[in-house]
C-alpha cells in the first residue's frame, strides 16, 4: 500500500492547536503562515510519496553493505538523497545565514514525519545531521561554523553523533576515547565508537563526526568529557574535502530493522590519530552533546508517530480489501471485508487515535520550541522553553512506545498475512522496535522526567501542565455532546492521577529512590497518555466549534470528534492503572533479590 501524507491532520494540529498564525507574527517568521505551511507540506508530500517511499521495501530487502571499509547504501538511496539536497529539505528549519530556509520547527517537524513515514532508514541520515547543526550553532566557534555549517545545512555534507563505546553504553562517564592536543590547536583522537548511524556511507562528499572524548588530565566521569568535530575528509583552504582523515568504518551491524540505514563501528587513530577540533570549551562536551541529544530525542519521537501512521494506513487499506466471515450483526448474508468486524474497528481506531494524539502533542511541543527561541517577550520565551523541555521525554518515550503498539496491531489486523514479510506489515514492526532504545531508552526518558523535569523544581512545571489540563476540562464541561462528556469525564480522572503521581514522586524521590524509579516508566506512560489526551480534548473542542460555525471539512471534523471520543474511552482509561503501578508497584518490583531471578 502506498503512503499518503496526512496533510489535513498536520495542518489542523499546526493551525488549531499550535497557533501557527501567531508564530508567523514573530520576527523572522513573517512568511511562515498557514499558506506557506500548506505549500511546503504539499511539496514535501509529493517528494516523500513519489521518491522516498518507493525505496522503503527495497532497502529492507537489499540493505546497505560494507566491504573493505566502504559502505554502499541501498539501491536508489544516493539518487534520492541528491534530490533531497537539491530540494533544500535539510535546511528547512535552519538559519538562512547558513543557507537554510529559516522556517519554524512546527513546519519542519511535519516534514520530518513525512520523510520518516515514507522511509525510516533514509530519514535517519538527515535526522543526525540536524543534531550536528544544532550543536555547532550553539557551541561552535566562528571558524567551525564557517567551515562546516553551510555544507551541513544544505545537506551537501552529513553529520553524526559519536557517543557510545563498546564498554560504555548509556553510561557516558565510561568514555575512553582520548583527544591529544597539538601545537596548531587541533587534537588527535584515538578510540572506538559503536552504533554510529550513517557513520559511513556513499551519499555525501563528506561526513562530519561530532565525537565525545577526553583530553589529558580531564576530570573523571562525565565532567571530563569534551566534544570534537572530526571530519571523514579534512577540509582544505578552499573549504573542499581533501585528504582522508584517520577515522575508518571497520564494520556495520546486522539488525532487526532499519536495515538500509548503515550503523557503523568507527575506529579513530589507527594511523597516527584522527584530526579533530574542539567544540566550545574542554570538559563541557556532554553539555553540548545534550543539545544534539534533545534535538534527536524529539526527532525520534516524531519517527514513532511516522511509523505508526504508516502502519495504520496499511492496516486500514488491508482491512477494507480482505474478505472473511459474516458480520456479527448479520447485516450481510455472506462474508464481508474485515473492517466490518467490531474488533478490527477497535484495533484500527486504537492505531488512529494514538497516532493522532501523539502528533498533536509533538506539534504543540514544536510550537513551544519556536516560541522559546523566537517570541519577542523574554518571559514568554523562558516559559515555553520549560514547557518544551518537559514535553521532550514524553514525545520521545511515549510516542515510540506507542509506535510499537500500533505497529503490532498492524500485524494483527493482517492476521497470518501480517507475519509474512511480503505484506510489509512486519517491516514496520521491526523498524519501530529500535525507537524506544536509541537516543536514550524509555527508562532513561523516564529518569529524565522524574529527576530533571519533576523533582528538580518540586513538581512546579508538571503541576502547571496539570493546571492547563484542568482549564481544558472546564471548556469541555460547557458542551453537551456525547464526545465532550466522555472526554471531560476521562480527562479529569487522568489529570487527577497525574497530579497524584507528581506528588508521590516529589515527596519520595529523595528517601525512596528505588521505589520511585521502579515506577518511572509507568509515570512516563501516564504523563504521555494524559498530555496527548489533553491535546485530543483541545482538538475535540476546536472541531466541534468549527462544525457549529460551518467552517472546514465536515467529514474530517466529524472524524476528529469520533477519534477523540474513542481516545477518551479506550486510551485515557488506562491511566488509573498506571497511577497504581507508579505509586504502589515499587515495593513488589524491588522485592525479589537479584540472585533469585
Amino acid at each position: 500500500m502506498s503512503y499518503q501524507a496526512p496533510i489535513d491532520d498536520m495542518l489542523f494540529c499546526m493551525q488549531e492547536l499550535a497557533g501557527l498564525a501567531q508564530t508567523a507574527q514573530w520576527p523572522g517568521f513573517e512568511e511562515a503562515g498557514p499558506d506557506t505551511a500548506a505549500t511546503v507540506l504539499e511539496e514535501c508530500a509529493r517528494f516523500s510519496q513519489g521518491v522516498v517511499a518507493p525505496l522503503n521495501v527495497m532497502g529492507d530487502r537489499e540493505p546497505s553493505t560494507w566491504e573493505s571499509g566502504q559502505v554502499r547504501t541501498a539501491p536508489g538511496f544516493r539518487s534520492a538523497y541528491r534530490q533531497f539536497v537539491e530540494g533544500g529539505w535539510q535546511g528547512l528549519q535552519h538559519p538562512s545565514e547558513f543557507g537554510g530556509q529559516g522556517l519554524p520547527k512546527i513546519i519542519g517537524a511535519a516534514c520530518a514525519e513525512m520523510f520518516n513515514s515514507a522511509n525510516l532508514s533514509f530519514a535517519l541520515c538527515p535526522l543526525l545531521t540536524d543534531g550536528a547543526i544544532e550543536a555547532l550553532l550553539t557551541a561552535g566557534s566562528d571558524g567551525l561554523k564557517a567551515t562546516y555549517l553551510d555544507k551541513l545545512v544544505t545537506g551537501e555534507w552529513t553529520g553524526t553523533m559519536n557517543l557510545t563505546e563498546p564498554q560504555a553504553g548509556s553510561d557516558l562517564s565510561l568514555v575512553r576515547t582520548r583527544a591529544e592536543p597539538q601545537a596548531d590547536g587541533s587534537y588527535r583522537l584515538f578510540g572506538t565508537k559503536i552504533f554510529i548511524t550513517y557513520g559511513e556511507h556513499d551519499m555525501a562528499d563528506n561526513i562530519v563526526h561530532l565525537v565525545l572524548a577526553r583530553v589529558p588530565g580531564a576530570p573523571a566521569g562525565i565532567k571530563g568529557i569534551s566534544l570534537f568535530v572530526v571530519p571523514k575528509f579534512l577540509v582544505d583552504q578552499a573549504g573542499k574535502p581533501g585528504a582522508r582523515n584517520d577515522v575508518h568504518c571497520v564494520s556495520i551491524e546486522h539488525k532487526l530493522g532499519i536495515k538500509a540505514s548503515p550503523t557503523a563501528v568507527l575506529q579513530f587513530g589507527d594511523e597516527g590519530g584522527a584530526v579533530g577540533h574542539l567544540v566550545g570549551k574542554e570538559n563541557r562536551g556532554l553539555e553540548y552533546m545534550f543539545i544534539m541529544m534533545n534535538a534527536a530525542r524529539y526527532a525520534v519521537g516524531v519517527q514513532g508517530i511516522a511509523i505508526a501512521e504508516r502502519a495504520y494506513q496499511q492496516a486500514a487499506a488491508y482491512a477494507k480489501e480482505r474478505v472473511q466471515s459474516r458480520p456479527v450483526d448479520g447485516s450481510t448474508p455472506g462474508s464481508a471485508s474485515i473492517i466490518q468486524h467490531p474488533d478490527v474497528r477497535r484495533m484500527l481506531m486504537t492505531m488512529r487515535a494514538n497516532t493522532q494524539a501523539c502528533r498533536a502533542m509533538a506539534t504543540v511541543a514544536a510550537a513551544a520550541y519556536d516560541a522559546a527561541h523566537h517570541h519577542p517577550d523574554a518571559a514568554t520565551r523562558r516559559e515555553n522553553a520549560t514547557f518544551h523541555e518537559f514535553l521532550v521525554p514524553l514525545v520521545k518515550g511515549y510516542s515510540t512506545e506507542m509506535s510499537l503498539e500500533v505497529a503490532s496491531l498492524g500485524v494483527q489486523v493482517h492476521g497470518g498475512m501480517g507475519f509474512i514479510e511480503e505484506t510489509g506489515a512486519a517491516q514496520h514492526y521491526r523498524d519501530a522496535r529500535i525507537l524506544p532504545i536509541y537516543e536514550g531508552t524509555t527508562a532513561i526518558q523516564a529518569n529524565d522526567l522524574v529527576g530533571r523535569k519533576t523533582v528538580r523544581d518540586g513538581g512546579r512545571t508538571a503541576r502547571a501542565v496539570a493546571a492547563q489540563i484542568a482549564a481544558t476540562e472546564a471548556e469541555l464541561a460547557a458542551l453537551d455532546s456525547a464526545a465532550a462528556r466522555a472526554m471531560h469525564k476521562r480527562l479529569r480522572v487522568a489529570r487527577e492521577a497525574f497530579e497524584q503521581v507528581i506528588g508521590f514522586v516529589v515527596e519520595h524521590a529523595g528517601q525512596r529512590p528505588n521505589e520511585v524509579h521502579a515506577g518511572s516508566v509507568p509515570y512516563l506512560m501516564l504523563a504521555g497518555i494524559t498530555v496527548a489526551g489533553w491535546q485530543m480534548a483541545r482538538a475535540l473542542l476546536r472541531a466541534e466549534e468549527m462544525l457549529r460555525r460551518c467552517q472546514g471539512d465536515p467529514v474530517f471534523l466529524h472524524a476528529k470528534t469520533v477519534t477523540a471520543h474513542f481516545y477518551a474511552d479506550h486510551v485515557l482509561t488506562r491511566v488509573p492503572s498506571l497511577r497504581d503501578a507508579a505509586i504502589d508497584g515499587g515495593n513488589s518490583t524491588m522485592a525479589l533479590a537479584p540472585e533469585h531471578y
Side-chain angles (χ1 to χ4, degrees), residues 2 19-20 24 178 187 203 243 266 307 332 358 403 416 437 463 547:
S2 60
L20 177 62
R178 71 183 194 277
Y187 291 75
M203 301 195 307
L266 296 182
I307 202 71
T332 59
C358 284
S403 73
I437 297 173
R463 290 191 176 103
L547 285 168

Side-chain angles (χ1 to χ4, degrees), residues 24 32 51 68 151 156-157 227 232 301 320 335 423 551 577:
V51 177
S68 302
K151 295 295 196 333
E156 184 178 342
W157 297 352
L227 182 64
K232 174 181 176 181
K320 293 173 185 177
S335 296
T423 65
Q551 298 173 335
S577 64

Side-chain angles (χ1 to χ4, degrees), residues 104 150 285 293 308 371 382 412 424 434 437 482 517 542 597:
D150 284 356
M293 186 75 75
R382 288 192 297 271
Q412 189 75 9
I434 188 59
I437 297 173
H517 283 272
R542 189 69 185 113
Y597 279 83

Side-chain angles (χ1 to χ4, degrees), residues 448-468:
D448 181 40
L449 178 63
V450 167
R452 294 186 182 93
K453 308 302 164 58
T454 304
V455 175
R456 178 174 289 180
D457 68 357
R460 182 181 60 82
T461 300
R463 290 191 176 103
V465 172
Q468 293 183 69

